[in-house]
Amino acid sequence: MAKRVLIVAGDAVEAQELFYPYWRLKEEGFEVHVAAPTKKVLMTVVHDFEPGWETYTEKPGYRFVWVDKEFKEVKPEDYDGLVIPGGRAPEYIRLNEDLERIVRHFMEKRKPLAAICHGPLVLTGYKLIEPGMNVTSYAAVAPDLKAHGADWQDKEVVICRGHIVTARAWPDLPYWMREFIRILKEK
């Protein structure tokens, strides 16, 4: 039986950080489900870096039509791994109590968990970042992680406690998924 991976997302999720793991994990043979606050077509965004801008720009992305279930329907014990993409979605999906239940399960059971870019904001929202944890994220999220005591590192991928895989942003997608898939296969 194939291992099952859950991706959690919402509107304004970074397009590449949702589509890439979705297709890559399927290509590897995992069963992949996507959950969101409501079962709907997600409106993704593209964060890009434009000359002259001091921060990223945001443009509308592709519609993501493969949302399988709402957060409230998810039984986290049915999944072997969790992916939290970035974009602006983590800012508001972390307010969802059902998502907290899901994320806490993965942290408490030490199941593989991958978060990229703004995705670690979900972990800070539930006070799951502890002093001394090695993590990375988009640079603008670093102060939030450091405020929770994390050892933020400016690296393409950082593995913490053998099951948490974090990455900075979409340019690091191959490194992030390579390590997450490796850990999924080992568990």
Side-chain angles (χ1 to χ4, degrees), residues 1-8 22 25 30-36 66-83 101-103 105-107 109-113 180 184 187:
M1 186 166 158
K3 288 192 176 184
R4 302 175 85 203
V5 178
L6 179 68
I7 300 175
V8 294
Y22 181 77
L25 291 163
F30 297 110
E31 182 179 336
V32 181
H33 294 163
V34 177
W66 300 284
V67 174
D68 299 292
K69 50 184 75 181
E70 297 182 10
F71 292 153
K72 67 184 177 186
E73 299 172 314
V74 172
K75 294 178 183 171
E77 60 275 7
D78 292 345
Y79 293 93
D80 302 294
L82 177 67
V83 175
R101 172 183 55 81
I102 294 164
V103 175
H105 171 85
F106 281 86
M107 291 294 283
K109 301 294 184 186
R110 298 180 61 89
K111 291 181 175 181
L113 184 153
F180 182 63
L184 269 172
K187 296 276 181 187

Side-chain angles (χ1 to χ4, degrees), residues 133-177:
M133 288 179 72
N134 299 321
V135 295
T136 194
S137 65
Y138 185 63
V141 176
D144 299 87
L145 294 166
K146 290 176 183 178
H148 284 83
D151 177 15
W152 186 86
Q153 300 172 13
D154 187 12
K155 294 182 179 176
E156 58 198 17
V157 67
V158 174
I159 300 167
C160 180
R161 298 184 177 169
H163 74 105
I164 303 166
V165 183
T166 54
R168 296 173 298 194
W170 58 261
D172 299 329
L173 284 166
Y175 314 105
W176 182 57
M177 276 295 102

